Amino acid sequence: MVERIRRTVRVWAALARAGLRTELQYRANFAFGILGGLALQGAGLAVIGTILARFQQIGGWSLPELMLLYGMRLTSHGLWTLPCSNLMVIDTAVREAEFDRYLTRPVAPFVQLVTRRLPVTTISDLLGGLAILGVALATTHLHWTLPRVLLLGLALVGGALVELSGQTAIAGLAFRMLSTGSLKFTLDDVFNTFGNYPTKIFGPAARWALTVVLPLAFASYVPATVLLGRTGELWIPVWLAWAAPAVGVALFVAAYRFWRSQLNRYASSGH
Amino acid sequence: MPIIRADSLVKEFRRPKRVPGRFGAVRTLLTRQYTVTRAVDGVGFDIDAGELVGYLGPNGAGKSTTIKMLTGILVPTSGAVEVSGVVPWRDRERNARHIGVVFGQRSGLWWDLPLIDSLHLAATLYDVRPADLRAHLARFTDLLGLDEFLTTPVRQLSLGQRMRGDLAAAMLHRPDVLYLDEPTIGLDVVARDRIRAFVADLNRAAGTTVVLTTHDLDDVEALCRRIILIDHGRVLYDGDVATLKARHAPHRELVVHLAEPGPVEIADAEPVAATDGRVTLRFDPARVSSADLIGRVLARHRVTDLSIVEPDLERVVAGIYADRTA
């Protein structure tokens, strides 16, 4: 088992380096991608700034608190898009029968798919997220204990896994549907729209939908309430709030299993 | 003990039935009716270790679909397949370790990187030890003439160069079985010969089992001892090339150039063409030997030149397909 994991890491690293070299072949695209990414982050933050300028608070959350949530969300987003955003191009890989070769090599097809290119431009998400998070941590004056530090770190990864699970499950449908563009961009939109605000402001129905149906509340909002001492506003038990990172892991394990089971539906192309 | 066993393999492709007429696209989206295409319809064969088998058929006969089931890419609708004791689709990673796959139409190389990077990556994926990698790389570079384009990005390689690169990458881990799907399609004569020589050498020297699908019957004549012929997803013929010719094209032709043009009438031989003193006689070697026939011709005519024409595989195969569709 340990040997298997070490091998996967080694192969992943080799493939990712190749993906990076591929990406760097197109230098102009690379540069514009990073600039564009940073501009997009700035625009997102500006929207929140505009709302705050008018209302001072959103759902009782002050600017530094909102920045903490926003920073956590964006960092998580960057943590999954940097290594795995090629999951989004699965339609092409399936329709053009690129999967033929993924299935005839002794490496998990998931690893081969996500490393076909390394979209370095998504690093702007990660850098932007970390910067905002840094400012938020400096201005919220929280009382830090070891469990809370651990929770923050794990929650960033857990948040990445929550979003990655959704995209992985949709990618699994690609073997049957061949075209999943609208689904995955809708999911991306939902995360980018609802993920940046405290989930409680959306009213009871949406609140439950975002906890149970599409559990994006667990990505950043729930752990942020723990860090900010706001668990009082939650509609789930506090222990579950602490376990938010585990929710991400569980979701990803389930999504990955589903994805693997769908490989057998792959029909390649031609006869 | 066969290394590849395929038993009653069937593969059906299902897709929603197209609904014509008003709102056809929307109704197609919602339909529960499916069109089923049976691409492979009960194919079975055993291949022993060390064989070099040509898998032939016209377009759409089910060749590639069979190969995709043997390699684990597709799951059979029914039937059984086993390669080196592994069910390919059920245990893909284990299967992948002892097979090599080259698709002529699609490269397995990293498109934007120099060829040498792809070879190193392949070595990493298959856990080839550095010493082995060096040895194999040196050998393949030599056999396939890779050195002039090792550092060229794959997307800038010619088709022939790319195919040679693909073959090297597929063989670095010394697989027991090599599947080649249309390896010479679109290649010039030089590249084709090089690839044939390489495949023949692998089979002879390393005992690699090779399954080759192709349209190019010259490939088959040059390489294969055994051929499996399929059409409409079924096996039409499975055996050696000579037997196929004997069964489906029993006749040979004797072409004689006469010093004085004129009619030729010889027992057991049928004139099938005559132009300017060049007469083609068809005969059945089971009834008259070529030596006897030549003796009879020489006894009656002054001949400037003569030759015996073997039936070529292309015509044999074309004849079989024509018979079947008739």
Side-chain angles (χ1 to χ4, degrees), chain B residues 161-181:
Chain B
Q161 293 172 330
R162 204 208 77 202
M163 275 310 303
R164 285 184 268 163
D166 260 309
L167 258 181
M171 289 305 299
L172 272 183
H173 59 292
R174 304 325 301 275
D176 311 321
V177 184
L178 175 64
Y179 299 98
L180 297 169
D181 193 12

mmCIF file with all atom_site columns, all heavy atoms in Angstrom, chain B residues 161-181:
data_model
loop_
_atom_site.group_PDB
_atom_site.id
_atom_site.type_symbol
_atom_site.label_atom_id
_atom_site.label_alt_id
_atom_site.label_comp_id
_atom_site.label_asym_id
_atom_site.label_entity_id
_atom_site.label_seq_id
_atom_site.pdbx_PDB_ins_code
_atom_site.Cartn_x
_atom_site.Cartn_y
_atom_site.Cartn_z
_atom_site.occupancy
_atom_site.B_iso_or_equiv
_atom_site.pdbx_formal_charge
_atom_site.auth_seq_id
_atom_site.auth_comp_id
_atom_site.auth_asym_id
_atom_site.auth_atom_id
_atom_site.pdbx_PDB_model_num
ATOM 1   N N   . GLN B 1 161 ? 8.280  9.158   -38.728 1.00 0.00 ? 161 GLN B N   1
ATOM 2   C CA  . GLN B 1 161 ? 9.116  9.337   -37.540 1.00 0.00 ? 161 GLN B CA  1
ATOM 3   C C   . GLN B 1 161 ? 8.291  9.110   -36.278 1.00 0.00 ? 161 GLN B C   1
ATOM 4   O O   . GLN B 1 161 ? 8.723  8.449   -35.335 1.00 0.00 ? 161 GLN B O   1
ATOM 5   C CB  . GLN B 1 161 ? 9.703  10.756  -37.523 1.00 0.00 ? 161 GLN B CB  1
ATOM 6   C CG  . GLN B 1 161 ? 10.693 11.000  -38.641 1.00 0.00 ? 161 GLN B CG  1
ATOM 7   C CD  . GLN B 1 161 ? 11.103 12.465  -38.708 1.00 0.00 ? 161 GLN B CD  1
ATOM 8   O OE1 . GLN B 1 161 ? 10.338 13.376  -38.363 1.00 0.00 ? 161 GLN B OE1 1
ATOM 9   N NE2 . GLN B 1 161 ? 12.315 12.711  -39.172 1.00 0.00 ? 161 GLN B NE2 1
ATOM 10  N N   . ARG B 1 162 ? 7.080  9.655   -36.291 1.00 0.00 ? 162 ARG B N   1
ATOM 11  C CA  . ARG B 1 162 ? 6.221  9.535   -35.123 1.00 0.00 ? 162 ARG B CA  1
ATOM 12  C C   . ARG B 1 162 ? 5.898  8.071   -34.838 1.00 0.00 ? 162 ARG B C   1
ATOM 13  O O   . ARG B 1 162 ? 5.923  7.619   -33.700 1.00 0.00 ? 162 ARG B O   1
ATOM 14  C CB  . ARG B 1 162 ? 4.930  10.316  -35.384 1.00 0.00 ? 162 ARG B CB  1
ATOM 15  C CG  . ARG B 1 162 ? 4.228  10.770  -34.141 1.00 0.00 ? 162 ARG B CG  1
ATOM 16  C CD  . ARG B 1 162 ? 2.755  10.878  -34.398 1.00 0.00 ? 162 ARG B CD  1
ATOM 17  N NE  . ARG B 1 162 ? 2.177  9.551   -34.406 1.00 0.00 ? 162 ARG B NE  1
ATOM 18  C CZ  . ARG B 1 162 ? 1.047  9.227   -34.993 1.00 0.00 ? 162 ARG B CZ  1
ATOM 19  N NH1 . ARG B 1 162 ? 0.371  10.124  -35.658 1.00 0.00 ? 162 ARG B NH1 1
ATOM 20  N NH2 . ARG B 1 162 ? 0.597  7.998   -34.930 1.00 0.00 ? 162 ARG B NH2 1
ATOM 21  N N   . MET B 1 163 ? 5.605  7.315   -35.907 1.00 0.00 ? 163 MET B N   1
ATOM 22  C CA  . MET B 1 163 ? 5.287  5.900   -35.717 1.00 0.00 ? 163 MET B CA  1
ATOM 23  C C   . MET B 1 163 ? 6.457  5.146   -35.125 1.00 0.00 ? 163 MET B C   1
ATOM 24  O O   . MET B 1 163 ? 6.293  4.284   -34.272 1.00 0.00 ? 163 MET B O   1
ATOM 25  C CB  . MET B 1 163 ? 4.925  5.260   -37.060 1.00 0.00 ? 163 MET B CB  1
ATOM 26  C CG  . MET B 1 163 ? 3.492  5.401   -37.478 1.00 0.00 ? 163 MET B CG  1
ATOM 27  S SD  . MET B 1 163 ? 2.351  4.913   -36.187 1.00 0.00 ? 163 MET B SD  1
ATOM 28  C CE  . MET B 1 163 ? 2.919  3.255   -35.902 1.00 0.00 ? 163 MET B CE  1
ATOM 29  N N   . ARG B 1 164 ? 7.666  5.498   -35.590 1.00 0.00 ? 164 ARG B N   1
ATOM 30  C CA  . ARG B 1 164 ? 8.846  4.819   -35.054 1.00 0.00 ? 164 ARG B CA  1
ATOM 31  C C   . ARG B 1 164 ? 9.013  5.162   -33.572 1.00 0.00 ? 164 ARG B C   1
ATOM 32  O O   . ARG B 1 164 ? 9.333  4.297   -32.751 1.00 0.00 ? 164 ARG B O   1
ATOM 33  C CB  . ARG B 1 164 ? 10.093 5.217   -35.857 1.00 0.00 ? 164 ARG B CB  1
ATOM 34  C CG  . ARG B 1 164 ? 10.118 4.534   -37.223 1.00 0.00 ? 164 ARG B CG  1
ATOM 35  C CD  . ARG B 1 164 ? 11.380 4.850   -37.950 1.00 0.00 ? 164 ARG B CD  1
ATOM 36  N NE  . ARG B 1 164 ? 11.236 6.017   -38.810 1.00 0.00 ? 164 ARG B NE  1
ATOM 37  C CZ  . ARG B 1 164 ? 12.264 6.714   -39.307 1.00 0.00 ? 164 ARG B CZ  1
ATOM 38  N NH1 . ARG B 1 164 ? 13.493 6.363   -39.005 1.00 0.00 ? 164 ARG B NH1 1
ATOM 39  N NH2 . ARG B 1 164 ? 12.047 7.739   -40.086 1.00 0.00 ? 164 ARG B NH2 1
ATOM 40  N N   . GLY B 1 165 ? 8.749  6.441   -33.249 1.00 0.00 ? 165 GLY B N   1
ATOM 41  C CA  . GLY B 1 165 ? 8.808  6.866   -31.846 1.00 0.00 ? 165 GLY B CA  1
ATOM 42  C C   . GLY B 1 165 ? 7.775  6.125   -31.006 1.00 0.00 ? 165 GLY B C   1
ATOM 43  O O   . GLY B 1 165 ? 8.047  5.664   -29.897 1.00 0.00 ? 165 GLY B O   1
ATOM 44  N N   . ASP B 1 166 ? 6.563  6.003   -31.551 1.00 0.00 ? 166 ASP B N   1
ATOM 45  C CA  . ASP B 1 166 ? 5.493  5.306   -30.841 1.00 0.00 ? 166 ASP B CA  1
ATOM 46  C C   . ASP B 1 166 ? 5.863  3.854   -30.571 1.00 0.00 ? 166 ASP B C   1
ATOM 47  O O   . ASP B 1 166 ? 5.615  3.326   -29.485 1.00 0.00 ? 166 ASP B O   1
ATOM 48  C CB  . ASP B 1 166 ? 4.196  5.354   -31.674 1.00 0.00 ? 166 ASP B CB  1
ATOM 49  C CG  . ASP B 1 166 ? 3.253  6.440   -31.176 1.00 0.00 ? 166 ASP B CG  1
ATOM 50  O OD1 . ASP B 1 166 ? 2.982  6.465   -29.968 1.00 0.00 ? 166 ASP B OD1 1
ATOM 51  O OD2 . ASP B 1 166 ? 2.803  7.258   -31.997 1.00 0.00 ? 166 ASP B OD2 1
ATOM 52  N N   . LEU B 1 167 ? 6.459  3.210   -31.583 1.00 0.00 ? 167 LEU B N   1
ATOM 53  C CA  . LEU B 1 167 ? 6.860  1.806   -31.411 1.00 0.00 ? 167 LEU B CA  1
ATOM 54  C C   . LEU B 1 167 ? 7.899  1.672   -30.306 1.00 0.00 ? 167 LEU B C   1
ATOM 55  O O   . LEU B 1 167 ? 7.794  0.785   -29.452 1.00 0.00 ? 167 LEU B O   1
ATOM 56  C CB  . LEU B 1 167 ? 7.467  1.288   -32.714 1.00 0.00 ? 167 LEU B CB  1
ATOM 57  C CG  . LEU B 1 167 ? 6.603  0.406   -33.594 1.00 0.00 ? 167 LEU B CG  1
ATOM 58  C CD1 . LEU B 1 167 ? 7.402  -0.004  -34.821 1.00 0.00 ? 167 LEU B CD1 1
ATOM 59  C CD2 . LEU B 1 167 ? 6.139  -0.836  -32.846 1.00 0.00 ? 167 LEU B CD2 1
ATOM 60  N N   . ALA B 1 168 ? 8.876  2.568   -30.320 1.00 0.00 ? 168 ALA B N   1
ATOM 61  C CA  . ALA B 1 168 ? 9.919  2.508   -29.294 1.00 0.00 ? 168 ALA B CA  1
ATOM 62  C C   . ALA B 1 168 ? 9.301  2.686   -27.909 1.00 0.00 ? 168 ALA B C   1
ATOM 63  O O   . ALA B 1 168 ? 9.605  1.932   -26.977 1.00 0.00 ? 168 ALA B O   1
ATOM 64  C CB  . ALA B 1 168 ? 10.981 3.576   -29.555 1.00 0.00 ? 168 ALA B CB  1
ATOM 65  N N   . ALA B 1 169 ? 8.395  3.673   -27.782 1.00 0.00 ? 169 ALA B N   1
ATOM 66  C CA  . ALA B 1 169 ? 7.782  3.947   -26.477 1.00 0.00 ? 169 ALA B CA  1
ATOM 67  C C   . ALA B 1 169 ? 6.953  2.752   -26.009 1.00 0.00 ? 169 ALA B C   1
ATOM 68  O O   . ALA B 1 169 ? 6.901  2.449   -24.818 1.00 0.00 ? 169 ALA B O   1
ATOM 69  C CB  . ALA B 1 169 ? 6.904  5.193   -26.554 1.00 0.00 ? 169 ALA B CB  1
ATOM 70  N N   . ALA B 1 170 ? 6.313  2.062   -26.953 1.00 0.00 ? 170 ALA B N   1
ATOM 71  C CA  . ALA B 1 170 ? 5.453  0.937   -26.575 1.00 0.00 ? 170 ALA B CA  1
ATOM 72  C C   . ALA B 1 170 ? 6.257  -0.295  -26.181 1.00 0.00 ? 170 ALA B C   1
ATOM 73  O O   . ALA B 1 170 ? 5.736  -1.201  -25.541 1.00 0.00 ? 170 ALA B O   1
ATOM 74  C CB  . ALA B 1 170 ? 4.512  0.590   -27.730 1.00 0.00 ? 170 ALA B CB  1
ATOM 75  N N   . MET B 1 171 ? 7.533  -0.339  -26.594 1.00 0.00 ? 171 MET B N   1
ATOM 76  C CA  . MET B 1 171 ? 8.329  -1.549  -26.362 1.00 0.00 ? 171 MET B CA  1
ATOM 77  C C   . MET B 1 171 ? 9.380  -1.401  -25.267 1.00 0.00 ? 171 MET B C   1
ATOM 78  O O   . MET B 1 171 ? 10.070 -2.360  -24.942 1.00 0.00 ? 171 MET B O   1
ATOM 79  C CB  . MET B 1 171 ? 9.029  -1.973  -27.659 1.00 0.00 ? 171 MET B CB  1
ATOM 80  C CG  . MET B 1 171 ? 8.113  -2.529  -28.734 1.00 0.00 ? 171 MET B CG  1
ATOM 81  S SD  . MET B 1 171 ? 7.093  -3.910  -28.157 1.00 0.00 ? 171 MET B SD  1
ATOM 82  C CE  . MET B 1 171 ? 8.346  -5.104  -27.694 1.00 0.00 ? 171 MET B CE  1
ATOM 83  N N   . LEU B 1 172 ? 9.495  -0.195  -24.687 1.00 0.00 ? 172 LEU B N   1
ATOM 84  C CA  . LEU B 1 172 ? 10.558 0.047   -23.702 1.00 0.00 ? 172 LEU B CA  1
ATOM 85  C C   . LEU B 1 172 ? 10.480 -0.895  -22.508 1.00 0.00 ? 172 LEU B C   1
ATOM 86  O O   . LEU B 1 172 ? 11.498 -1.260  -21.927 1.00 0.00 ? 172 LEU B O   1
ATOM 87  C CB  . LEU B 1 172 ? 10.476 1.484   -23.179 1.00 0.00 ? 172 LEU B CB  1
ATOM 88  C CG  . LEU B 1 172 ? 11.238 2.540   -23.964 1.00 0.00 ? 172 LEU B CG  1
ATOM 89  C CD1 . LEU B 1 172 ? 11.109 3.876   -23.255 1.00 0.00 ? 172 LEU B CD1 1
ATOM 90  C CD2 . LEU B 1 172 ? 12.702 2.153   -24.090 1.00 0.00 ? 172 LEU B CD2 1
ATOM 91  N N   . HIS B 1 173 ? 9.269  -1.288  -22.126 1.00 0.00 ? 173 HIS B N   1
ATOM 92  C CA  . HIS B 1 173 ? 9.138  -2.146  -20.944 1.00 0.00 ? 173 HIS B CA  1
ATOM 93  C C   . HIS B 1 173 ? 9.131  -3.626  -21.329 1.00 0.00 ? 173 HIS B C   1
ATOM 94  O O   . HIS B 1 173 ? 8.766  -4.469  -20.518 1.00 0.00 ? 173 HIS B O   1
ATOM 95  C CB  . HIS B 1 173 ? 7.886  -1.774  -20.147 1.00 0.00 ? 173 HIS B CB  1
ATOM 96  C CG  . HIS B 1 173 ? 6.606  -1.889  -20.931 1.00 0.00 ? 173 HIS B CG  1
ATOM 97  N ND1 . HIS B 1 173 ? 6.303  -1.054  -21.984 1.00 0.00 ? 173 HIS B ND1 1
ATOM 98  C CD2 . HIS B 1 173 ? 5.554  -2.724  -20.824 1.00 0.00 ? 173 HIS B CD2 1
ATOM 99  C CE1 . HIS B 1 173 ? 5.119  -1.394  -22.478 1.00 0.00 ? 173 HIS B CE1 1
ATOM 100 N NE2 . HIS B 1 173 ? 4.649  -2.404  -21.800 1.00 0.00 ? 173 HIS B NE2 1
ATOM 101 N N   . ARG B 1 174 ? 9.551  -3.926  -22.558 1.00 0.00 ? 174 ARG B N   1
ATOM 102 C CA  . ARG B 1 174 ? 9.648  -5.303  -23.045 1.00 0.00 ? 174 ARG B CA  1
ATOM 103 C C   . ARG B 1 174 ? 8.369  -6.100  -22.781 1.00 0.00 ? 174 ARG B C   1
ATOM 104 O O   . ARG B 1 174 ? 8.381  -7.107  -22.066 1.00 0.00 ? 174 ARG B O   1
ATOM 105 C CB  . ARG B 1 174 ? 10.817 -6.048  -22.392 1.00 0.00 ? 174 ARG B CB  1
ATOM 106 C CG  . ARG B 1 174 ? 12.186 -5.473  -22.499 1.00 0.00 ? 174 ARG B CG  1
ATOM 107 C CD  . ARG B 1 174 ? 12.571 -4.765  -23.733 1.00 0.00 ? 174 ARG B CD  1
ATOM 108 N NE  . ARG B 1 174 ? 12.562 -5.382  -25.032 1.00 0.00 ? 174 ARG B NE  1
ATOM 109 C CZ  . ARG B 1 174 ? 13.522 -6.100  -25.584 1.00 0.00 ? 174 ARG B CZ  1
ATOM 110 N NH1 . ARG B 1 174 ? 14.574 -6.439  -24.943 1.00 0.00 ? 174 ARG B NH1 1
ATOM 111 N NH2 . ARG B 1 174 ? 13.432 -6.498  -26.809 1.00 0.00 ? 174 ARG B NH2 1
ATOM 112 N N   . PRO B 1 175 ? 7.239  -5.676  -23.323 1.00 0.00 ? 175 PRO B N   1
ATOM 113 C CA  . PRO B 1 175 ? 6.007  -6.436  -23.099 1.00 0.00 ? 175 PRO B CA  1
ATOM 114 C C   . PRO B 1 175 ? 6.034  -7.776  -23.818 1.00 0.00 ? 175 PRO B C   1
ATOM 115 O O   . PRO B 1 175 ? 6.757  -7.939  -24.799 1.00 0.00 ? 175 PRO B O   1
ATOM 116 C CB  . PRO B 1 175 ? 4.925  -5.530  -23.690 1.00 0.00 ? 175 PRO B CB  1
ATOM 117 C CG  . PRO B 1 175 ? 5.634  -4.721  -24.717 1.00 0.00 ? 175 PRO B CG  1
ATOM 118 C CD  . PRO B 1 175 ? 7.034  -4.531  -24.211 1.00 0.00 ? 175 PRO B CD  1
ATOM 119 N N   . ASP B 1 176 ? 5.230  -8.731  -23.323 1.00 0.00 ? 176 ASP B N   1
ATOM 120 C CA  . ASP B 1 176 ? 5.135  -10.047 -23.973 1.00 0.00 ? 176 ASP B CA  1
ATOM 121 C C   . ASP B 1 176 ? 4.291  -9.964  -25.237 1.00 0.00 ? 176 ASP B C   1
ATOM 122 O O   . ASP B 1 176 ? 4.450  -10.756 -26.146 1.00 0.00 ? 176 ASP B O   1
ATOM 123 C CB  . ASP B 1 176 ? 4.450  -11.070 -23.050 1.00 0.00 ? 176 ASP B CB  1
ATOM 124 C CG  . ASP B 1 176 ? 5.054  -11.067 -21.678 1.00 0.00 ? 176 ASP B CG  1
ATOM 125 O OD1 . ASP B 1 176 ? 6.287  -10.928 -21.601 1.00 0.00 ? 176 ASP B OD1 1
ATOM 126 O OD2 . ASP B 1 176 ? 4.306  -11.211 -20.690 1.00 0.00 ? 176 ASP B OD2 1
ATOM 127 N N   . VAL B 1 177 ? 3.321  -9.045  -25.201 1.00 0.00 ? 177 VAL B N   1
ATOM 128 C CA  . VAL B 1 177 ? 2.378  -8.953  -26.318 1.00 0.00 ? 177 VAL B CA  1
ATOM 129 C C   . VAL B 1 177 ? 2.391  -7.531  -26.867 1.00 0.00 ? 177 VAL B C   1
ATOM 130 O O   . VAL B 1 177 ? 2.357  -6.563  -26.106 1.00 0.00 ? 177 VAL B O   1
ATOM 131 C CB  . VAL B 1 177 ? 0.937  -9.278  -25.848 1.00 0.00 ? 177 VAL B CB  1
ATOM 132 C CG1 . VAL B 1 177 ? -0.008 -9.283  -27.051 1.00 0.00 ? 177 VAL B CG1 1
ATOM 133 C CG2 . VAL B 1 177 ? 0.885  -10.607 -25.125 1.00 0.00 ? 177 VAL B CG2 1
ATOM 134 N N   . LEU B 1 178 ? 2.455  -7.437  -28.191 1.00 0.00 ? 178 LEU B N   1
ATOM 135 C CA  . LEU B 1 178 ? 2.412  -6.126  -28.826 1.00 0.00 ? 178 LEU B CA  1
ATOM 136 C C   . LEU B 1 178 ? 1.203  -6.071  -29.760 1.00 0.00 ? 178 LEU B C   1
ATOM 137 O O   . LEU B 1 178 ? 1.043  -6.934  -30.621 1.00 0.00 ? 178 LEU B O   1
ATOM 138 C CB  . LEU B 1 178 ? 3.704  -5.884  -29.617 1.00 0.00 ? 178 LEU B CB  1
ATOM 139 C CG  . LEU B 1 178 ? 3.782  -4.603  -30.453 1.00 0.00 ? 178 LEU B CG  1
ATOM 140 C CD1 . LEU B 1 178 ? 3.728  -3.361  -29.577 1.00 0.00 ? 178 LEU B CD1 1
ATOM 141 C CD2 . LEU B 1 178 ? 5.061  -4.589  -31.303 1.00 0.00 ? 178 LEU B CD2 1
ATOM 142 N N   . TYR B 1 179 ? 0.347  -5.082  -29.558 1.00 0.00 ? 179 TYR B N   1
ATOM 143 C CA  . TYR B 1 179 ? -0.785 -4.888  -30.457 1.00 0.00 ? 179 TYR B CA  1
ATOM 144 C C   . TYR B 1 179 ? -0.486 -3.707  -31.369 1.00 0.00 ? 179 TYR B C   1
ATOM 145 O O   . TYR B 1 179 ? -0.152 -2.617  -30.888 1.00 0.00 ? 179 TYR B O   1
ATOM 146 C CB  . TYR B 1 179 ? -2.059 -4.560  -29.673 1.00 0.00 ? 179 TYR B CB  1
ATOM 147 C CG  . TYR B 1 179 ? -2.484 -5.633  -28.716 1.00 0.00 ? 179 TYR B CG  1
ATOM 148 C CD1 . TYR B 1 179 ? -2.160 -5.545  -27.374 1.00 0.00 ? 179 TYR B CD1 1
ATOM 149 C CD2 . TYR B 1 179 ? -3.215 -6.727  -29.154 1.00 0.00 ? 179 TYR B CD2 1
ATOM 150 C CE1 . TYR B 1 179 ? -2.554 -6.523  -26.475 1.00 0.00 ? 179 TYR B CE1 1
ATOM 151 C CE2 . TYR B 1 179 ? -3.611 -7.713  -28.268 1.00 0.00 ? 179 TYR B CE2 1
ATOM 152 C CZ  . TYR B 1 179 ? -3.282 -7.605  -26.931 1.00 0.00 ? 179 TYR B CZ  1
ATOM 153 O OH  . TYR B 1 179 ? -3.669 -8.574  -26.049 1.00 0.00 ? 179 TYR B OH  1
ATOM 154 N N   . LEU B 1 180 ? -0.601 -3.940  -32.648 1.00 0.00 ? 180 LEU B N   1
ATOM 155 C CA  . LEU B 1 180 ? -0.349 -2.860  -33.603 1.00 0.00 ? 180 LEU B CA  1
ATOM 156 C C   . LEU B 1 180 ? -1.625 -2.654  -34.419 1.00 0.00 ? 180 LEU B C   1
ATOM 157 O O   . LEU B 1 180 ? -2.063 -3.547  -35.133 1.00 0.00 ? 180 LEU B O   1
ATOM 158 C CB  . LEU B 1 180 ? 0.787  -3.259  -34.551 1.00 0.00 ? 180 LEU B CB  1
ATOM 159 C CG  . LEU B 1 180 ? 2.145  -3.497  -33.926 1.00 0.00 ? 180 LEU B CG  1
ATOM 160 C CD1 . LEU B 1 180 ? 3.093  -4.137  -34.929 1.00 0.00 ? 180 LEU B CD1 1
ATOM 161 C CD2 . LEU B 1 180 ? 2.729  -2.188  -33.430 1.00 0.00 ? 180 LEU B CD2 1
ATOM 162 N N   . ASP B 1 181 ? -2.221 -1.481  -34.284 1.00 0.00 ? 181 ASP B N   1
ATOM 163 C CA  . ASP B 1 181 ? -3.447 -1.207  -35.021 1.00 0.00 ? 181 ASP B CA  1
ATOM 164 C C   . ASP B 1 181 ? -3.113 -0.271  -36.174 1.00 0.00 ? 181 ASP B C   1
ATOM 165 O O   . ASP B 1 181 ? -2.807 0.895   -35.951 1.00 0.00 ? 181 ASP B O   1
ATOM 166 C CB  . ASP B 1 181 ? -4.480 -0.581  -34.071 1.00 0.00 ? 181 ASP B CB  1
ATOM 167 C CG  . ASP B 1 181 ? -5.881 -0.569  -34.678 1.00 0.00 ? 181 ASP B CG  1
ATOM 168 O OD1 . ASP B 1 181 ? -6.081 -1.241  -35.704 1.00 0.00 ? 181 ASP B OD1 1
ATOM 169 O OD2 . ASP B 1 181 ? -6.760 0.101   -34.120 1.00 0.00 ? 181 ASP B OD2 1
#
